[in-house]
Amino acid sequence: MTSKQILFNTFLKKNYSPEERSLQGWIVIFGFLLICLACYVGPTASLRLIYPIAAFVTAIFLYLRHPILYLGFTWWMWFLSALFTRLVDLQVGWDFTRQMLVAPYLVVFVSIATLFRYLPSAYRLGGLPFILAFAGVFYGFLIGLVHNQPVPVARSLLDWLSPLLFGFHLFINWRDYPSYRQNIQRTFLWCVLILGVYGIYQFVVAPEWDRYWLVKSLQTSSSGNPEPFGMRVWSTMHSIGPFGATMQAGLLLLFTRSGPLIFPASAAGYLSFLLAQTRTNWGGWLFGMIMIMGSVKARIQMRLITIILVMIVCVAPLLTIEPISSVVSKRVETFVNLQEDGSFRDRSSSYDRNLSIALSNTLGNGFGNTWKVNEKTGQIEVIVLDSGILDMFFTLGWFGAIPYLGGLILMIYQVFKYTESRFDSFVSAARAIGFTAFAQLIIGSGMLSIAGMILWGFLAMAMAAHKYYQHQGITTPNQSQGMTVLNQRSIT
């Protein structure tokens, strides 16, 4: 170990206890919030620049001093940044660049230090899926630099690389799996409660900042009318798809928790989830629940069934209230006549038009091909492809899509061989969340942005759990008895 490394470790670990470092971390987080609040009540326009910079600096401090708080801070930046952006837009006008939404990506990019440090040993540690995916992303970036404009290329790189960096960070820190697991469970519990409550408020009240965003973003055709009881719920996030993916994961994670907040969180979460009207995520939640039920012991199955029945009792009365009842029932009825549904027809025709083109694109168009700069407004606009598979082959071509998709498939194959789900319900839930997110790539680019964070992040946590239990010598439920990590309430 070099003298610099010794000084670095001394500064980080020996001068401060874990409690002191945790207190420092919370002070920095509250300082970040106070700076944002001061800018909002003062020179609001300055927040568009200060917000991402302050978030980036906060993330660096947390990454170095308190990795657990860094993990939670990263998730909350994804959950809340879009709402902060809408509040600022209402005060100072619409921002076509959407520069405040860069903040979550900058927070994730702090973990690139983990990549630089551990990439040489990643294969030996079992990180081959990540190596393959990184290779595919690097290829897409190089092709994009050749064929496309720099700004859209950089924007696409943020979307593709951030989930990989975060997932790799979670996997490499497998020794901290118990504390990481606890943090993720707690974060998503509060996420379901807060985003669920705000989602109901959004549907009933239609706040001015949400109406303003809906009109300016030109998404009234897909997100409803800017009026009370007329909008599909997207809560604090920037659109319906990310909200549906987040709530799907959060509601599945609730099955691994217990405590007084579970049932209010479930009531608010499920109701807002239904009001979002995201059928893909409804199906993903149902399939994920079946996967969890089929992978755990009988005693856990009975506990899950009890939780489901209680949740039904909590949510069912709310669904009888108008206009909630008519909104949800109309959306459910579309499952019966999918052939007559406009969204289903659009996706089918998109596949008919683009599948052969995508598969014949050997080299790919590179990053930036699904983004374009509007010459009149200067705004970066997305070209919607309702399929992650089409997006992969259009963007990465065969040379990039094969390693990227191969890394994902290899990861899922490995995760499904693990037996830890029999005694660790979080592993079962993480596997279900990861697999259902992967299955949804057929009808959406779920490997990007927050959806990609969920896809790669939860599969990475399942891999981290496997390495952790292997290191502890735990392979069966009987061997887990007496271990502190298995005495937590989230594990039976």
Side-chain angles (χ1 to χ4, degrees), residues 390-409:
L390 291 179
D391 200 350
M392 283 184 200
F393 282 94
F394 268 122
T395 302
L396 306 179
W398 282 92
F399 290 103
I402 289 178
Y404 185 90
L405 191 58
L408 262 178
I409 294 174

Side-chain angles (χ1 to χ4, degrees), residues 6-253:
I6 293 173
L7 290 173
F8 179 78
N9 290 337
T10 300
F11 176 70
L12 290 183
K13 298 180 180 179
K14 294 184 179 180
N15 289 351
Y16 303 97
S17 67
E19 292 78 13
E20 290 173 325
R21 292 201 301 272
S22 177
L23 177 61
Q24 290 176 348
W26 281 111
I27 291 174
V28 170
I29 292 174
F30 282 119
F32 165 74
L33 295 175
L34 287 175
I35 290 173
C36 294
L37 179 61
C39 292
Y40 184 74
V41 299
T44 307
S46 65
L47 194 57
R48 287 176 172 163
L49 179 62
I50 292 175
Y51 181 76
I53 294 176
F56 183 62
V57 173
T58 302
I60 293 175
F61 181 88
L62 296 177
Y63 177 86
L64 294 175
R65 292 291 185 88
H66 204 288
I68 303 300
L69 287 182
Y70 168 74
L71 180 63
F73 182 72
T74 301
W75 284 116
W76 281 109
M77 287 299 297
W78 285 101
F79 298 155
L80 299 178
S81 289
L83 175 60
F84 294 158
T85 303
R86 296 200 293 272
L87 291 171
V88 172
D89 284 345
L90 183 65
Q91 291 288 334
V92 297
W94 181 253
D95 177 22
F96 289 109
T97 65
R98 317 307 292 154
Q99 64 187 42
M100 284 183 66
L101 295 181
V102 175
Y105 296 100
L106 293 179
V107 171
V108 174
F109 258 70
V110 172
S111 64
I112 200 170
T114 305
L115 175 65
F116 289 152
R117 182 178 181 183
Y118 291 101
L119 186 59
S121 58
Y123 180 79
R124 178 175 54 83
L125 295 173
L128 179 60
F130 291 101
I131 296 174
L132 293 173
F134 278 123
V137 168
F138 184 65
Y139 173 83
F141 174 67
L142 294 179
I143 295 296
L145 289 177
V146 174
H147 294 291
N148 304 308
Q149 301 178 48
V151 174
V153 170
R155 182 64 183 83
S156 291
L157 179 64
L158 292 175
D159 271 334
W160 283 83
L161 189 56
S162 296
L164 273 176
L165 289 176
F166 192 66
F168 185 74
H169 177 74
L170 295 176
F171 167 70
I172 286 298
N173 289 281
W174 59 267
R175 294 179 184 275
D176 297 318
Y177 164 73
S179 55
Y180 276 37
R181 176 195 59 206
Q182 185 180 20
N183 179 272
I184 291 176
Q185 288 176 312
R186 182 171 59 248
T187 298
F188 273 84
L189 170 63
W190 283 102
C191 165
V192 170
L193 178 60
I194 294 174
L195 270 64
V197 169
Y198 182 84
I200 298 171
Y201 170 77
Q202 182 183 65
F203 179 75
V204 175
V205 177
E208 187 177 356
W209 48 86
D210 290 335
R211 299 199 308 268
Y212 181 78
W213 174 87
L214 189 57
V215 172
K216 288 294 185 177
S217 64
L218 305 178
Q219 294 197 37
T220 53
S221 60
S222 60
S223 301
N225 299 318
E227 59 187 18
F229 305 106
M231 298 190 299
R232 294 172 63 182
V233 166
W234 68 90
S235 190
T236 64
M237 308 194 78
H238 69 270
S239 63
I240 295 167
F243 173 70
T246 301
M247 292 302 287
Q248 175 187 325
L251 292 171
L252 289 174
L253 272 185

